[in-house]
Amino acid sequence: MAILIVGGAGYIGSHNVRALWDAGRDVIVVDNLSTGHAQSLRDGVKLHMVDIRDEKSLDAVFGKEKIDAVLHFAALSLVGQSMIQPLDYMDNNVTGMIKLLTVMQKHGVDKIVFSSTAAVYGDAETIPIPETATLNPTNPYGESKLAMERIMRWASEAYGMRYAVLRYFNVAGAWEGGIIGEDHRPESHLVPIILQVALGKRPEIKIFGDDYPTKDGTCVRDYLHVMDLVDAHLLALEHLENGGDSFICNLGNGMGFTVQEMINAAREVTGHPIPAVSAARRSGDPAKLVASSQEAQRILGWHPQNDIRQIIESAWTWHKKHPNGYLD
Ligand code: UFG
């Protein structure tokens, strides 16, 4: 039986595809390639170029393949973009989830691991944020993921599906040796942008807001290595395959770093001065997001292994080898 990876050609999906393939699992990918890269997939992995909102085509994939469980990564995921295209985010993310669950139910597929986000919390009152914190997204991206979580919960109650909701904090880093990595077009994430400055592809990094109520005025985030995230997915899948109950958990390192601290760490790793300038706040950005990952430790026995330096070093290896991302 195969594992279907929806959005498997994207940054996080592709790292999971490779890890599952290397673990000897039968892996099938569905991706519309709107933001993903077919080159990120290992030879032998079967790719169906399908948009999950296209229920007929998705149904055909489920009809053709023997699917046991789904890992769902397909979503629009940029906070800033979601503020100006809210309806696109709702349509792509929420409609996509409804169609996916409809087809899963029709074909009797009852296990799903879902990529949710810290953005469901909005400006949290408690740091580190527990899963029980108030859910109050400050942007349409977070709102769409919260709606997806809730739709999945009701589908699970009605149809007996079991789910793992993994609320990621800020994911960065790359596969060992820089074989695959992060390549968004246009790039908007902090770590790749900092490293593009170090590569000479951008003159400077703009710091979005230096007047937040944090230790140096810049936003605090909890950065997690993509390979630690992959480990959590493998454990979550195993949990559901072993008959475990549905659950929701945060995934982060539990430590916050400011934008300024990330730039400083990248200066140390790359040896490049990485010029930085202050700019206006980016709308939709909460000041601080740091995870409590105690639930992931309790349910999955998951412990992240990599720190900020290892995250930046692995991303740096990828960017040096592929200065133009998957175009190289
Ligand atoms: N930032 C800058 N300059 C840049 C890019 C980013 O100062 O050029 C700042 C942002 O304002 C933010 C921090 O760096 O304070 C991190 O920004 P990212 O765009 O890298 O990440 P986000 O925190 O916006 O979002 C990411 C994922 C979301 C997820 C969220 C959860 O993209 O999917 O983490 O924390 F929901």
Side-chain angles (χ1 to χ4, degrees):
M1 295 288 273
I3 310 298
L4 178 69
I5 312 215
V6 184
Y11 166 48
I12 295 170
S14 62
H15 285 74
N16 277 275
V17 168
R18 198 162 276 254
L20 280 163
W21 178 269
D22 287 357
R25 304 297 298 259
D26 189 1
V27 185
I28 314 256
V29 171
V30 159
D31 201 302
N32 66 4
L33 297 183
S34 63
T35 57
H37 306 275
Q39 306 94 300
S40 67
L41 299 173
R42 228 182 224 299
D43 287 346
V45 172
K46 201 189 283 180
L47 168 66
H48 294 274
M49 232 181 89
V50 165
D51 187 310
I52 54 168
R53 289 167 295 177
D54 174 358
E55 191 177 327
K56 209 167 147 218
S57 302
L58 193 61
D59 184 57
V61 173
F62 275 73
K64 193 156 19 156
E65 311 284 357
K66 290 195 164 27
I67 295 164
D68 183 49
V70 174
L71 266 58
H72 181 19
F73 298 97
L76 297 177
S77 65
L78 304 178
V79 169
Q81 188 184 52
S82 78
M83 297 295 285
I84 44 183
Q85 293 172 230
L87 299 180
D88 291 337
Y89 271 67
M90 295 303 165
D91 178 38
N92 188 82
N93 296 357
V94 179
T95 309
M97 178 59 109
I98 294 169
K99 302 286 184 192
L100 176 62
L101 292 171
T102 302
V103 174
M104 283 176 64
Q105 193 240 341
K106 180 174 165 194
H107 290 269
V109 178
D110 63 354
K111 295 180 275 300
I112 176 167
V113 179
F114 169 57
S115 309
S116 189
T117 170
V120 296
Y121 297 112
D123 275 308
E125 310 98 27
T126 324
I127 298 284
I129 307 172
E131 289 78 0
T132 49
T134 307
L135 301 169
N136 189 17
T138 54
N139 52 65
Y141 166 62
E143 196 75 66
S144 73
K145 287 273 173 158
L146 182 54
M148 292 161 87
E149 286 190 9
R150 289 186 163 151
I151 289 165
M152 219 168 46
R153 187 192 132 205
W154 293 114
S156 132
E157 294 215 356
Y159 314 129
M161 293 171 175
R162 283 170 304 120
Y163 60 81
V165 167
L166 306 180
R167 291 180 182 155
Y168 312 163
F169 282 60
N170 286 59
V171 186
W175 191 276
E176 208 188 328
I179 298 167
I180 54 173
E182 193 166 3
D183 179 4
H184 300 106
R185 287 157 202 269
E187 190 52 77
S188 71
H189 290 89
L190 182 66
V191 171
I193 288 183
I194 293 175
L195 295 177
Q196 286 175 355
V197 178
L199 275 177
K201 295 180 70 72
R202 293 175 188 257
E204 64 199 12
I205 168 93
K206 289 190 174 57
I207 299 177
F208 297 146
D210 60 6
D211 56 351
Y212 284 98
T214 62
K215 63 178 164 181
D216 60 21
T218 67
C219 281
V220 170
R221 294 287 182 273
D222 181 335
Y223 294 88
L224 179 66
H225 199 298
V226 67
M227 296 313 294
D228 283 321
L229 191 72
V230 165
D231 287 345
H233 283 79
L234 299 187
L235 291 167
L237 179 62
E238 207 175 286
H239 170 89
L240 296 179
E241 286 175 338
N242 290 337
D245 291 336
S246 298
F247 68 95
I248 297 178
C249 71
N250 291 336
L251 295 176
N253 270 319
M255 275 186 304
F257 290 87
T258 66
V259 172
Q260 188 62 60
E261 285 171 331
M262 292 301 285
I263 297 170
N264 292 342
R267 285 174 177 150
E268 278 177 29
V269 168
T270 63
H272 189 283
I274 311 183
V277 293
S278 289
R281 288 184 178 196
R282 187 174 67 178
S283 76
D285 270 347
K288 263 190 199 174
L289 287 171
V290 180
S292 158
S293 294
Q294 280 174 8
E295 278 298 276
Q297 287 167 25
R298 184 181 68 77
I299 300 167
L300 303 175
W302 176 79
H303 297 276
Q305 305 295 322
N306 295 280
D307 61 17
I308 284 299
R309 198 180 171 93
Q310 289 160 309
I311 292 171
I312 295 175
E313 276 171 356
S314 77
W316 184 225
T317 303
W318 153 257
H319 284 282
K320 274 189 300 182
K321 280 196 173 169
H322 303 273
N324 298 309
Y326 286 104
L327 296 179
D328 282 326

